[in-house]
Amino acid sequence: MMSDVEEARLHANDTRYRPGERAGHYESFFVRANHPTRPLAFWIRYTIFSPQRHPEQAIGELWAIVFDGESGRHVAVKHEAPLSDCVFDPSRFSIRVGDASLEPGRLSGAAESHGRAVRWDLTYSGGADPLFLLPLSAYAGGGSQAKSLVGLPLAVFSGRIVVNGEPLEITDWVGSQNHNWGARHTDHYAWGQVAGFDDAPEVFLEIVTARRRLGPLWTPFVTLLVVRRDGEEISLNTPRQMLRASGAFEPFTWRFRSEMSQARVEGRIEASSAAFVGLTYHNPPGGAKICLNTKLASCQLTITRRQGSAWRKPERLTAQSRAAFEILTDHPDPRVPLSL
């Protein structure tokens, strides 16, 4: 008999959406990766969007951004398709939005908008187990709480992306394959990820600082994170740890700190406004959220472990221009024009 963890890993990329849901639903499968040495990155996202009380209006969305930190020009595109032209398999990892597909080890597709065009044909591989940002029990059942996981940390991508007719060869770019879903977007959050640090390519970081609105009031911010190295995890994601942790962000800096009895993790993620792309995410209950999105942020991370009753010497890690950093908010930032 499989353990709960084995069962969760096996079904990490099963689609949670069920046709006809009236509660509203969004669900995204996305990949992202960075060039090994240059400030270049891509992010490709396959999404279901189903508005609350109107499941007949559900659609598939295809998003793609190619970030170029050398020229400062980032190309973002989006394509929408009727749900009847999409496949989101509830029993295995098989995704299609129009003619674009995503499956284990491969993705291909194309999208155009506002005179911009991106095509991709990529393979990816990796042997890491799925990483769960939330406690495992939080993934069971439905509910409005947003859920996210990393289906394949430290995925290695190769192939080609064509940006406005110009080919970009992808050779051993490292990133991840991810999955998130919910009945509504979390009201205000920062999400971050590092798929390998400069001098520690085996270390993977997943982190979020978030709060929710309850009527006219806001909940306190909570911060939860997981650091993985060679299969070992520092998971600071229990309800008590979330509330005790500190996390504060603004465009375009984020500081965080969390600890348990045997380990402390603290750090900073930041990027210039020029590294971001502004996106509009429709919310299933109605209205829209603004996502300030970059995959070219930098991260400084300090990990301190306890040995007996004393703290050991801190380990300091850096990732330059290869961290994911997203802020979801209600208002655009004038320094980041909305691309989509």
Side-chain angles (χ1 to χ4, degrees):
M1 180 179 295
M2 285 191 294
S3 68
D4 290 344
V5 173
E6 292 171 329
E7 183 81 11
R9 288 172 176 167
L10 181 65
H11 296 287
N13 281 317
D14 291 356
T15 299
R16 271 54 174 189
Y17 174 72
R18 297 296 179 265
E21 287 186 11
R22 296 187 60 81
H25 189 85
Y26 76 89
E27 186 161 4
S28 294
F29 299 83
F30 70 91
V31 299
R32 69 97 182 174
N34 291 81
H35 187 282
T37 59
R38 298 167 60 190
L40 305 173
F42 66 81
W43 172 83
I44 300 170
R45 182 176 184 251
Y46 298 68
T47 296
I48 298 168
F49 175 75
S50 181
Q52 190 179 81
R53 295 186 297 276
H54 293 284
E56 73 282 359
Q57 297 177 13
I59 59 172
E61 300 174 341
L62 192 61
W63 304 70
I65 305 175
V66 177
F67 296 89
D68 187 338
E70 295 176 337
S71 68
R73 294 188 296 270
H74 316 308
V75 177
V77 295
K78 179 186 177 185
H79 171 71
E80 296 181 354
L83 201 59
S84 58
D85 290 343
C86 303
V87 174
F88 289 86
D89 198 311
S91 61
R92 63 191 181 97
F93 186 23
S94 179
I95 309 299
R96 182 170 59 79
V97 176
D99 295 328
S101 62
L102 171 63
E103 59 190 36
R106 188 175 185 91
L107 66 151
S108 63
E112 297 184 18
S113 57
H114 305 290
R116 305 182 294 262
V118 178
R119 293 201 326 259
W120 57 93
D121 188 3
L122 301 167
T123 61
Y124 65 98
S125 61
D129 289 326
L131 182 150
F132 299 96
L133 179 61
L134 298 166
L136 205 59
S137 60
Y139 294 93
S144 62
Q145 181 184 8
K147 302 174 176 68
S148 68
L149 58 86
V150 186
L152 182 59
L154 298 176
V156 180
F157 292 81
S158 293
R160 173 179 284 193
I161 299 177
V162 180
V163 185
N164 292 333
E166 295 292 327
L168 176 62
E169 301 300 328
I170 309 298
T171 303
D172 296 339
W173 290 28
V174 178
S176 58
Q177 177 269 311
N178 306 266
H179 183 194
N180 58 54
W181 67 94
R184 60 180 297 150
H185 291 295
T186 301
D187 295 294
H188 191 203
Y189 69 71
W191 169 79
Q193 185 186 90
V194 180
F197 288 79
D198 296 346
D199 295 322
E202 76 284 3
V203 177
F204 191 94
L205 168 68
E206 182 84 357
I207 180 170
V208 68
T209 293
R211 62 175 178 166
R212 298 181 63 190
R213 190 193 298 273
L214 299 177
L217 304 176
W218 287 95
T219 66
F221 279 109
V222 298
T223 295
L224 53 159
L225 64 86
V226 177
V227 178
R228 179 186 285 180
R229 167 180 272 162
D230 295 331
E232 179 195 7
E233 289 188 357
I234 301 174
S235 297
L236 296 166
N237 60 3
T238 67
R240 183 181 179 188
Q241 288 163 340
M242 292 181 205
L243 291 170
R244 292 181 59 192
S246 62
F249 63 88
E250 60 183 3
F252 301 95
T253 300
W254 177 12
R255 297 179 184 274
F256 52 86
R257 184 180 188 276
S258 187
E259 70 176 77
M260 58 182 180
S261 59
Q262 297 302 310
R264 177 191 304 131
V265 179
E266 53 195 321
R268 183 174 75 252
I269 298 175
E270 60 189 350
S272 70
S273 61
F276 285 82
V277 172
L279 308 175
T280 303
Y281 287 173
H282 295 294
N283 208 7
K289 309 294 288 187
I290 302 301
C291 178
L292 307 178
N293 185 324
T294 186
K295 301 300 175 280
L296 299 177
S298 294
C299 177
Q300 291 77 46
L301 191 73
T302 301
I303 302 172
T304 310
R305 296 176 181 271
R306 189 187 294 273
Q307 187 171 22
S309 60
W311 291 100
R312 297 165 58 184
K313 182 180 178 180
E315 178 183 16
R316 293 183 170 85
L317 306 176
T318 298
Q320 188 69 33
S321 300
R322 54 181 303 106
F325 182 11
E326 298 181 11
I327 295 174
L328 198 76
T329 181
D330 289 323
H331 306 290
D333 189 291
R335 295 165 291 180
V336 183
L338 290 176
S339 295
L340 297 171

mmCIF file of all heavy atoms in Angstrom, residues 220-247:
data_model
loop_
_atom_site.group_PDB
_atom_site.id
_atom_site.type_symbol
_atom_site.label_atom_id
_atom_site.label_comp_id
_atom_site.label_asym_id
_atom_site.label_seq_id
_atom_site.Cartn_x
_atom_site.Cartn_y
_atom_site.Cartn_z
ATOM 1 N N PRO A 220 -3.376 38.782 8.925
ATOM 2 C CA PRO A 220 -1.928 39.025 8.961
ATOM 3 C C PRO A 220 -1.243 38.275 7.813
ATOM 4 O O PRO A 220 -1.738 37.269 7.313
ATOM 5 C CB PRO A 220 -1.501 38.437 10.313
ATOM 6 C CG PRO A 220 -2.761 38.330 11.116
ATOM 7 C CD PRO A 220 -3.860 38.090 10.137
ATOM 8 N N PHE A 221 -0.077 38.766 7.419
ATOM 9 C CA PHE A 221 0.733 38.036 6.449
ATOM 10 C C PHE A 221 1.244 36.746 7.074
ATOM 11 O O PHE A 221 1.594 36.692 8.261
ATOM 12 C CB PHE A 221 1.935 38.874 6.003
ATOM 13 C CG PHE A 221 1.615 39.890 4.952
ATOM 14 C CD1 PHE A 221 1.600 41.243 5.260
ATOM 15 C CD2 PHE A 221 1.335 39.507 3.652
ATOM 16 C CE1 PHE A 221 1.323 42.197 4.295
ATOM 17 C CE2 PHE A 221 1.055 40.449 2.673
ATOM 18 C CZ PHE A 221 1.046 41.799 2.991
ATOM 19 N N VAL A 222 1.296 35.696 6.267
ATOM 20 C CA VAL A 222 1.960 34.456 6.659
ATOM 21 C C VAL A 222 3.036 34.148 5.624
ATOM 22 O O VAL A 222 2.897 34.508 4.454
ATOM 23 C CB VAL A 222 0.976 33.272 6.778
ATOM 24 C CG1 VAL A 222 -0.052 33.532 7.858
ATOM 25 C CG2 VAL A 222 0.291 32.991 5.443
ATOM 26 N N THR A 223 4.095 33.524 6.064
ATOM 27 C CA THR A 223 5.186 33.136 5.173
ATOM 28 C C THR A 223 5.462 31.655 5.350
ATOM 29 O O THR A 223 5.609 31.176 6.478
ATOM 30 C CB THR A 223 6.460 33.949 5.476
ATOM 31 O OG1 THR A 223 6.220 35.325 5.190
ATOM 32 C CG2 THR A 223 7.637 33.461 4.632
ATOM 33 N N LEU A 224 5.506 30.939 4.254
ATOM 34 C CA LEU A 224 5.852 29.534 4.296
ATOM 35 C C LEU A 224 6.866 29.241 3.203
ATOM 36 O O LEU A 224 6.835 29.860 2.129
ATOM 37 C CB LEU A 224 4.630 28.635 4.159
ATOM 38 C CG LEU A 224 3.675 28.834 2.990
ATOM 39 C CD1 LEU A 224 2.860 27.557 2.760
ATOM 40 C CD2 LEU A 224 2.703 29.975 3.255
ATOM 41 N N LEU A 225 7.777 28.329 3.501
ATOM 42 C CA LEU A 225 8.846 28.042 2.546
ATOM 43 C C LEU A 225 9.335 26.617 2.714
ATOM 44 O O LEU A 225 9.175 25.996 3.771
ATOM 45 C CB LEU A 225 9.997 29.046 2.694
ATOM 46 C CG LEU A 225 10.789 29.065 4.006
ATOM 47 C CD1 LEU A 225 11.934 28.049 3.995
ATOM 48 C CD2 LEU A 225 11.356 30.451 4.264
ATOM 49 N N VAL A 226 9.929 26.130 1.625
ATOM 50 C CA VAL A 226 10.598 24.831 1.631
ATOM 51 C C VAL A 226 11.927 24.992 0.918
ATOM 52 O O VAL A 226 11.985 25.553 -0.183
ATOM 53 C CB VAL A 226 9.754 23.748 0.925
ATOM 54 C CG1 VAL A 226 10.525 22.422 0.902
ATOM 55 C CG2 VAL A 226 8.408 23.559 1.612
ATOM 56 N N VAL A 227 12.998 24.529 1.551
ATOM 57 C CA VAL A 227 14.309 24.461 0.927
ATOM 58 C C VAL A 227 14.667 22.985 0.781
ATOM 59 O O VAL A 227 14.606 22.224 1.749
ATOM 60 C CB VAL A 227 15.393 25.173 1.765
ATOM 61 C CG1 VAL A 227 16.752 25.033 1.086
ATOM 62 C CG2 VAL A 227 15.043 26.638 1.968
ATOM 63 N N ARG A 228 15.027 22.593 -0.427
ATOM 64 C CA ARG A 228 15.404 21.196 -0.658
ATOM 65 C C ARG A 228 16.830 21.133 -1.187
ATOM 66 O O ARG A 228 17.217 21.912 -2.056
ATOM 67 C CB ARG A 228 14.466 20.534 -1.661
ATOM 68 C CG ARG A 228 14.841 19.077 -1.962
ATOM 69 C CD ARG A 228 14.011 18.476 -3.050
ATOM 70 N NE ARG A 228 12.657 18.165 -2.580
ATOM 71 C CZ ARG A 228 11.719 17.621 -3.364
ATOM 72 N NH1 ARG A 228 11.983 17.379 -4.635
ATOM 73 N NH2 ARG A 228 10.521 17.358 -2.877
ATOM 74 N N ARG A 229 17.583 20.177 -0.660
ATOM 75 C CA ARG A 229 18.939 19.912 -1.140
ATOM 76 C C ARG A 229 19.158 18.410 -1.172
ATOM 77 O O ARG A 229 19.114 17.751 -0.132
ATOM 78 C CB ARG A 229 19.984 20.573 -0.248
ATOM 79 C CG ARG A 229 21.404 20.073 -0.515
ATOM 80 C CD ARG A 229 22.428 20.731 0.380
ATOM 81 N NE ARG A 229 22.922 21.955 -0.199
ATOM 82 C CZ ARG A 229 23.544 22.897 0.512
ATOM 83 N NH1 ARG A 229 23.662 22.772 1.813
ATOM 84 N NH2 ARG A 229 23.998 23.965 -0.092
ATOM 85 N N ASP A 230 19.355 17.880 -2.378
ATOM 86 C CA ASP A 230 19.638 16.447 -2.539
ATOM 87 C C ASP A 230 18.624 15.571 -1.796
ATOM 88 O O ASP A 230 18.986 14.594 -1.138
ATOM 89 C CB ASP A 230 21.054 16.127 -2.045
ATOM 90 C CG ASP A 230 22.129 16.800 -2.885
ATOM 91 O OD1 ASP A 230 21.878 17.027 -4.088
ATOM 92 O OD2 ASP A 230 23.201 17.109 -2.343
ATOM 93 N N GLY A 231 17.349 15.948 -1.882
ATOM 94 C CA GLY A 231 16.303 15.140 -1.272
ATOM 95 C C GLY A 231 15.973 15.489 0.161
ATOM 96 O O GLY A 231 14.907 15.130 0.660
ATOM 97 N N GLU A 232 16.871 16.191 0.855
ATOM 98 C CA GLU A 232 16.593 16.633 2.224
ATOM 99 C C GLU A 232 15.807 17.939 2.175
ATOM 100 O O GLU A 232 16.118 18.831 1.379
ATOM 101 C CB GLU A 232 17.889 16.856 2.992
ATOM 102 C CG GLU A 232 17.664 17.342 4.413
ATOM 103 C CD GLU A 232 18.916 17.903 5.055
ATOM 104 O OE1 GLU A 232 19.933 18.049 4.358
ATOM 105 O OE2 GLU A 232 18.860 18.205 6.259
ATOM 106 N N GLU A 233 14.798 18.076 3.028
ATOM 107 C CA GLU A 233 13.964 19.274 3.013
ATOM 108 C C GLU A 233 13.952 19.974 4.360
ATOM 109 O O GLU A 233 13.874 19.327 5.402
ATOM 110 C CB GLU A 233 12.524 18.938 2.615
ATOM 111 C CG GLU A 233 12.363 18.562 1.158
ATOM 112 C CD GLU A 233 10.903 18.427 0.744
ATOM 113 O OE1 GLU A 233 10.013 18.574 1.621
ATOM 114 O OE2 GLU A 233 10.653 18.170 -0.443
ATOM 115 N N ILE A 234 14.043 21.292 4.313
ATOM 116 C CA ILE A 234 13.702 22.140 5.455
ATOM 117 C C ILE A 234 12.327 22.708 5.120
ATOM 118 O O ILE A 234 12.196 23.574 4.249
ATOM 119 C CB ILE A 234 14.719 23.275 5.650
ATOM 120 C CG1 ILE A 234 16.115 22.723 5.881
ATOM 121 C CG2 ILE A 234 14.294 24.171 6.809
ATOM 122 C CD1 ILE A 234 17.193 23.790 5.937
ATOM 123 N N SER A 235 11.296 22.198 5.765
ATOM 124 C CA SER A 235 9.918 22.597 5.479
ATOM 125 C C SER A 235 9.400 23.464 6.616
ATOM 126 O O SER A 235 9.153 22.969 7.723
ATOM 127 C CB SER A 235 9.019 21.364 5.304
ATOM 128 O OG SER A 235 9.443 20.596 4.195
ATOM 129 N N LEU A 236 9.264 24.750 6.355
ATOM 130 C CA LEU A 236 8.756 25.700 7.345
ATOM 131 C C LEU A 236 7.365 26.131 6.892
ATOM 132 O O LEU A 236 7.176 27.230 6.379
ATOM 133 C CB LEU A 236 9.719 26.883 7.466
ATOM 134 C CG LEU A 236 11.110 26.515 8.003
ATOM 135 C CD1 LEU A 236 12.098 27.640 7.778
ATOM 136 C CD2 LEU A 236 11.037 26.161 9.476
ATOM 137 N N ASN A 237 6.409 25.229 7.071
ATOM 138 C CA ASN A 237 5.088 25.466 6.497
ATOM 139 C C ASN A 237 3.927 25.013 7.377
ATOM 140 O O ASN A 237 2.790 24.925 6.903
ATOM 141 C CB ASN A 237 4.980 24.786 5.130
ATOM 142 C CG ASN A 237 5.184 23.275 5.196
ATOM 143 O OD1 ASN A 237 5.355 22.705 6.277
ATOM 144 N ND2 ASN A 237 5.182 22.631 4.042
ATOM 145 N N THR A 238 4.180 24.723 8.656
ATOM 146 C CA THR A 238 3.065 24.413 9.537
ATOM 147 C C THR A 238 2.327 25.703 9.901
ATOM 148 O O THR A 238 2.901 26.800 9.790
ATOM 149 C CB THR A 238 3.544 23.732 10.827
ATOM 150 O OG1 THR A 238 4.309 24.682 11.592
ATOM 151 C CG2 THR A 238 4.402 22.505 10.526
ATOM 152 N N PRO A 239 1.066 25.619 10.331
ATOM 153 C CA PRO A 239 0.358 26.851 10.712
ATOM 154 C C PRO A 239 1.110 27.689 11.734
ATOM 155 O O PRO A 239 1.155 28.925 11.622
ATOM 156 C CB PRO A 239 -0.964 26.315 11.275
ATOM 157 C CG PRO A 239 -1.193 25.039 10.533
ATOM 158 C CD PRO A 239 0.182 24.442 10.356
ATOM 159 N N ARG A 240 1.728 27.064 12.722
ATOM 160 C CA ARG A 240 2.460 27.825 13.731
ATOM 161 C C ARG A 240 3.676 28.520 13.126
ATOM 162 O O ARG A 240 3.949 29.686 13.408
ATOM 163 C CB ARG A 240 2.897 26.892 14.861
ATOM 164 C CG ARG A 240 3.604 27.624 16.000
ATOM 165 C CD ARG A 240 4.038 26.654 17.068
ATOM 166 N NE ARG A 240 4.731 27.333 18.159
ATOM 167 C CZ ARG A 240 5.356 26.713 19.145
ATOM 168 N NH1 ARG A 240 5.358 25.393 19.194
ATOM 169 N NH2 ARG A 240 5.963 27.395 20.098
ATOM 170 N N GLN A 241 4.411 27.793 12.274
ATOM 171 C CA GLN A 241 5.593 28.385 11.661
ATOM 172 C C GLN A 241 5.241 29.515 10.710
ATOM 173 O O GLN A 241 5.935 30.524 10.629
ATOM 174 C CB GLN A 241 6.389 27.299 10.931
ATOM 175 C CG GLN A 241 7.101 26.342 11.878
ATOM 176 C CD GLN A 241 7.537 25.058 11.197
ATOM 177 O OE1 GLN A 241 7.016 24.689 10.147
ATOM 178 N NE2 GLN A 241 8.489 24.367 11.812
ATOM 179 N N MET A 242 4.125 29.376 9.976
ATOM 180 C CA MET A 242 3.684 30.430 9.068
ATOM 181 C C MET A 242 3.452 31.741 9.808
ATOM 182 O O MET A 242 3.834 32.820 9.349
ATOM 183 C CB MET A 242 2.370 30.037 8.376
ATOM 184 C CG MET A 242 2.446 28.898 7.405
ATOM 185 S SD MET A 242 0.793 28.625 6.707
ATOM 186 C CE MET A 242 0.902 26.907 6.254
ATOM 187 N N LEU A 243 2.789 31.648 10.961
ATOM 188 C CA LEU A 243 2.446 32.853 11.717
ATOM 189 C C LEU A 243 3.655 33.455 12.421
ATOM 190 O O LEU A 243 3.736 34.675 12.608
ATOM 191 C CB LEU A 243 1.343 32.527 12.730
ATOM 192 C CG LEU A 243 -0.034 32.216 12.122
ATOM 193 C CD1 LEU A 243 -0.975 31.681 13.196
ATOM 194 C CD2 LEU A 243 -0.622 33.467 11.476
ATOM 195 N N ARG A 244 4.598 32.611 12.829
ATOM 196 C CA ARG A 244 5.784 33.116 13.523
ATOM 197 C C ARG A 244 6.802 33.710 12.557
ATOM 198 O O ARG A 244 7.628 34.537 12.943
ATOM 199 C CB ARG A 244 6.437 31.991 14.320
ATOM 200 C CG ARG A 244 5.621 31.506 15.505
ATOM 201 C CD ARG A 244 6.356 30.419 16.245
ATOM 202 N NE ARG A 244 7.662 30.875 16.732
ATOM 203 C CZ ARG A 244 8.600 30.076 17.208
ATOM 204 N NH1 ARG A 244 8.398 28.756 17.241
ATOM 205 N NH2 ARG A 244 9.742 30.551 17.651
ATOM 206 N N ALA A 245 6.769 33.283 11.307
ATOM 207 C CA ALA A 245 7.732 33.773 10.330
ATOM 208 C C ALA A 245 7.465 35.236 10.011
ATOM 209 O O ALA A 245 6.352 35.743 10.203
ATOM 210 C CB ALA A 245 7.650 32.933 9.061
ATOM 211 N N SER A 246 8.482 35.912 9.500
ATOM 212 C CA SER A 246 8.303 37.287 9.048
ATOM 213 C C SER A 246 8.537 37.353 7.549
ATOM 214 O O SER A 246 9.417 36.684 7.012
ATOM 215 C CB SER A 246 9.281 38.220 9.763
ATOM 216 O OG SER A 246 10.618 37.865 9.475
ATOM 217 N N GLY A 247 7.716 38.140 6.886
ATOM 218 C CA GLY A 247 7.861 38.344 5.451
ATOM 219 C C GLY A 247 7.270 39.692 5.093
ATOM 220 O O GLY A 247 6.133 39.996 5.475
#
